[in-house]
Amino acid sequence: MAKNNDRIYKVIFVNQDQVFELYAKHVYQSDMWGFLEIEELVFGNRSELVIDPGEEKLKTEFSGVKRSYIPSHAIVRIDEVENEGVAKVSEAKGTIAAFPVAPVQPRS
């Protein structure tokens, strides 16, 4: 098993009818109710000639992001993995849906 500082997590979540698959070094429950925080996103540092446009899109979208807050109900799955893979975005097709939650009633 990897040491605490060597852990990498694959986080899969739904965002606006798309499924995001990102890799991060830190994932934890946020102090902001109902959100998960992911920090230190990891993207492949390959020096290959072939560039994955999906991963490049994510690199651009998350460039300069220190921490991202993901709504808990949007999380599909979180895995601790040995090595980072390729970050990607795909269309949410089939059975992937946001977790149903009851609306919060305001206190009177």
Side-chain angles (χ1 to χ4, degrees), residues 11-92:
V11 181
I12 303 171
F13 62 95
V14 178
N15 182 30
Q16 297 178 351
D17 296 330
Q18 294 183 318
V19 178
F20 283 59
E21 184 174 311
L22 297 176
Y23 292 83
K25 291 187 178 183
H26 304 286
V27 177
Y28 48 90
Q29 183 66 44
S30 175
D31 290 337
M32 194 177 347
W33 188 80
F35 287 83
L36 220 62
E37 292 183 35
I38 59 174
E39 289 183 346
E40 293 188 51
L41 297 177
V42 178
F43 294 100
N45 293 325
R46 297 169 183 82
S47 60
E48 299 175 6
L49 295 175
V50 178
I51 297 174
D52 183 356
E55 186 174 36
E56 289 300 313
K57 176 184 173 185
L58 286 172
K59 277 185 184 180
T60 302
E61 185 170 339
F62 287 97
S63 69
V65 173
K66 179 179 176 182
R67 178 180 302 123
S68 191
Y69 297 88
I70 310 297
S72 295
H73 66 272
I75 299 292
V76 174
R77 181 175 173 162
I78 300 173
D79 295 322
E80 182 177 345
V81 295
E82 299 269 331
N83 297 306
E84 77 269 6
V86 177
K88 56 187 166 185
V89 178
S90 57
E91 294 300 315

